[in-house]
């Protein structure tokens, strides 16, 4: 289908990324998959390529581009190749918006240059054991010291993507107790140095999919966080978290669409090469009908993803629109990838085939960033229901 979302700069970037993936990722991806993470030095390569600095302001070493379209190209090209860039997506999609929105000029001077080069990788720690999506129920605390020079951080976090390799982590913690009127009151955000005494990385979690993305448990025991590393205002963290949900959900929606498109590509190639009963699998009417139906769904998801991208870049993507895009694209990807795996037969269940890895990687899309059920709740509320 004809698209207008990308221009010549985006397509030139696409060619660069495609060549980079072919040279630097595909030959070693099986090693990353077996190890359960991408190596730390890979992130330096992404920094050298300029990927981390695309939307970092120029005065801090970035390109200063106020757009998500280059990220969209990354989603498409990694999905097309059947690879992931480790836990680096959190670094740009989740952590950077908070730094740009909340960091003071002094903090930006300290944080952003090394962010752009990959010298310091960032993650964000919200979820805690036992709380799941209920961020208002978090127990991690940050108490101001008597001399007012630092906070003392205590608690634990889980499901932290990028948590193994992170050099800095945006940690959500309670600086005040919730009130009877507002359970969300009292949460603050901190930029925590992972080298701090009392900070520790627990288990690297063994996930169903996204195997090359390091996901960890974190623990804080009397970690001293300088007051200079408080992000934004104290006790206003929950409102900050809500502010960036639209871009996070856009990223999940766009990534899901890209995965669905890749699944059709993988299945089409497979059925054209695989022969049964003396004929290519692509020859049979059922195969043609299944792939045609999948392509129609991918076309629809592409339109939704592109529309959401334009709205996000214009600063007009509403929470309900982001929820709708995430719900639609992730549900489409679920159906399409499942049908494309079926066309692979038994080979589709083997991890040596990208469709198998894609099937596992895709499943979390309907859970993180807000479950499909939460998305429906947001949409229904926007409808006045």
């Amino acid at each position: 289908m004809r698209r207008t979302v990308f221009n010549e700069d985006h397509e030139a970037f696409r060619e660069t990324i495609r060549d980079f993936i072919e040279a630097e990722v595909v030959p070693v991806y099986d090693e990353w998959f077996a190890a359960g993470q991408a190596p730390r030095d890979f992130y330096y390569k992404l920094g050298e390529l300029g990927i981390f600095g695309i939307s970092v302001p120029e005065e801090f070493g970035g390109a200063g581009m106020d757009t998500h379209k280059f990220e969209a190209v990354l989603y498409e090209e990694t999905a097309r190749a059947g690879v992931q860039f480790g836990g680096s997506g959190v670094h740009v999609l989740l952590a950077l918006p908070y730094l740009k929105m909340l960091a003071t000029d002094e903090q930006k001077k300290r944080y952003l240059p090394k962010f752009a080069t990959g010298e310091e990788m960032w993650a964000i720690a919200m979820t805690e054991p036992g709380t799941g999506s209920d961020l208002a129920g978090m127990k991690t605390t940050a108490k101001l010291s008597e001399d007012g020079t630092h906070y003392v951080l205590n608690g634990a976090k889980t499901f932290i993507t990028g948590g193994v390799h992170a050099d800095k982590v945006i940690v959500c913690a309670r600086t005040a107790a919730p009130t009877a009127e507002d359970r969300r009151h009292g949460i603050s955000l901190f930029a925590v140095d992972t080298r701090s005494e009392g900070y520790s990385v627990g288990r690297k979690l063994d996930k169903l999919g996204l195997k090359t993305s390091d996901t960890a448990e974190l623990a804080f025991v009397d970690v001293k966080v300088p007051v200079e590393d408080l992000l934004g205002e104290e006790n206003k963290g929950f409102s900050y978290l809500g502010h960036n949900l639209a871009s996070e959900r856009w990223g999940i929606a766009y990534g899901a669409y890209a995965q669905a498109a890749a699944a059709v590509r993988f299945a089409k190639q497979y059925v054209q090469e695989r022969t049964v009963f003396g004929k290519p699998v692509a020859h049979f009417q059922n195969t043609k009908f299944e792939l045609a139906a999948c392509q129609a769904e991918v076309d629809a998801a592409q339109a939704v993803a592109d529309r959401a991208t334009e709205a996000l870049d214009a600063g007009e993507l509403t929470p309900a629109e982001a929820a709708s895009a995430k719900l639609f694209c992730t549900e489409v990807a679920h159906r399409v990838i499942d049908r494309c795996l079926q066309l692979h037969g038994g080979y589709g269940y083997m991890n040596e085939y990208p469709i198998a890895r894609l099937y596992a990687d895709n499943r979390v899309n309907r859970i993180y960033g807000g479950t499909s059920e939460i998305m429906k709740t947001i949409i229904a509320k926007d409808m006045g229901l």
Side-chain angles (χ1 to χ4, degrees):
M1 295 181 69
R2 180 177 177 273
R3 303 176 77 184
T4 58
V5 68
F6 299 123
N7 61 29
E8 292 180 359
D9 291 338
H10 303 125
E11 295 305 332
F13 178 71
R14 183 188 303 280
E15 292 303 316
T16 298
I17 293 300
R18 190 171 295 185
D19 291 343
F20 175 81
I21 290 173
E22 193 63 32
E24 300 288 346
V25 182
V26 172
V28 294
Y29 195 72
D30 286 345
E31 297 173 20
W32 297 4
F33 189 85
Q37 62 185 31
R40 179 61 179 84
D41 62 4
F42 174 66
Y43 298 140
Y44 293 116
K45 294 180 180 179
L46 293 179
E48 291 172 3
L49 196 61
I51 287 176
F52 295 151
I54 290 171
S55 58
V56 170
E58 292 183 62
E59 61 264 39
F60 304 116
M65 296 186 182
D66 190 19
T67 177
H68 290 77
K69 291 180 182 179
F70 292 98
E71 292 171 48
V73 172
L74 282 172
Y75 284 124
E76 292 185 351
E77 291 306 309
T78 51
R80 179 183 182 277
V83 301
Q84 298 277 339
F85 279 180
S88 64
V90 167
H91 183 68
V92 174
L93 182 65
L94 298 189
L96 184 56
Y98 290 102
L99 299 182
K100 291 174 66 176
M101 177 177 70
L102 301 176
T104 63
D105 288 341
E106 185 276 330
Q107 287 174 325
K108 288 176 180 177
K109 290 177 183 177
R110 286 193 287 125
Y111 301 152
L112 293 182
K114 291 182 179 180
F115 180 102
T117 61
E119 291 178 71
E120 288 186 347
M121 294 300 296
W122 288 70
I124 184 165
M126 302 185 208
T127 306
E128 297 183 358
T131 62
S133 299
D134 181 19
L135 295 180
M138 69 175 61
K139 306 295 184 185
T140 296
T141 60
K143 296 183 179 180
L144 188 64
S145 62
E146 291 185 4
D147 62 6
T149 62
H150 62 273
Y151 292 86
V152 180
L153 183 66
N154 284 282
K157 300 289 182 178
T158 192
F159 304 150
I160 309 307
T161 301
V164 174
H165 285 318
D167 301 288
K168 290 281 200 313
V169 177
I170 299 173
V171 177
C172 310
R174 283 208 164 275
T175 44
T179 65
E181 297 78 20
D182 187 2
R183 293 178 62 242
R184 300 171 295 182
H185 172 75
I187 293 172
S188 301
L189 307 185
F190 300 90
V192 179
D193 192 320
T194 63
R195 297 167 297 182
S196 302
E197 184 178 352
Y199 180 105
S200 62
V201 178
R203 292 186 303 151
K204 180 167 72 68
L205 301 173
D206 183 16
K207 307 184 298 295
L208 171 67
L210 301 177
K211 289 291 189 179
T212 65
S213 171
D214 54 302
T215 302
E217 296 173 329
L218 306 180
F220 321 111
V221 180
D222 294 333
V223 176
K224 293 182 179 179
V225 183
V227 292
E228 293 81 10
D229 287 322
L230 170 69
L231 290 172
E233 295 184 45
E234 195 178 82
N235 299 329
K236 292 189 176 181
F238 201 93
S239 64
Y240 299 148
L241 296 176
H243 186 274
N244 287 322
L245 279 175
S247 63
E248 179 183 356
R249 288 167 179 165
W250 165 83
I252 298 170
Y254 207 99
Y257 144 67
Q259 289 177 327
V264 172
R265 177 174 177 267
F266 296 146
K268 178 182 175 183
Q269 180 179 0
Y270 178 82
V271 299
Q272 288 175 328
E273 296 173 354
R274 172 70 170 165
T275 300
V276 294
F277 306 117
K279 298 178 180 179
V281 176
H283 175 82
F284 297 98
Q285 187 182 64
N286 179 68
T287 304
K288 297 176 182 179
F289 281 8
E290 283 293 286
L291 282 177
C294 287
Q295 184 61 55
E297 290 218 75
V298 168
D299 288 345
Q302 182 188 89
V304 170
D306 285 355
R307 185 182 69 175
T309 302
E310 297 285 19
L312 183 63
D313 272 9
E316 299 172 353
L317 185 65
T318 68
E321 289 169 345
S324 178
K326 180 182 184 295
L327 176 66
F328 183 78
C329 291
T330 57
E331 294 291 341
V332 164
H334 160 64
R335 294 191 297 270
V336 167
I337 294 170
D338 184 75
R339 294 167 84 171
C340 288
L341 187 149
Q342 187 74 14
L343 289 172
H344 282 71
Y347 289 103
Y349 205 65
M350 302 296 113
N351 273 328
E352 65 185 276
Y353 283 81
I355 192 68
R357 299 180 184 184
L358 194 57
Y359 184 87
D361 291 348
N362 167 75
R363 185 57 185 88
V364 75
N365 288 337
R366 292 179 288 147
I367 299 174
Y368 67 1
T371 64
S372 290
E373 291 73 25
I374 293 295
M375 298 303 100
K376 292 174 184 176
T377 300
I378 295 169
I379 297 165
K381 184 176 180 180
D382 186 67
M383 295 169 65
L385 300 174

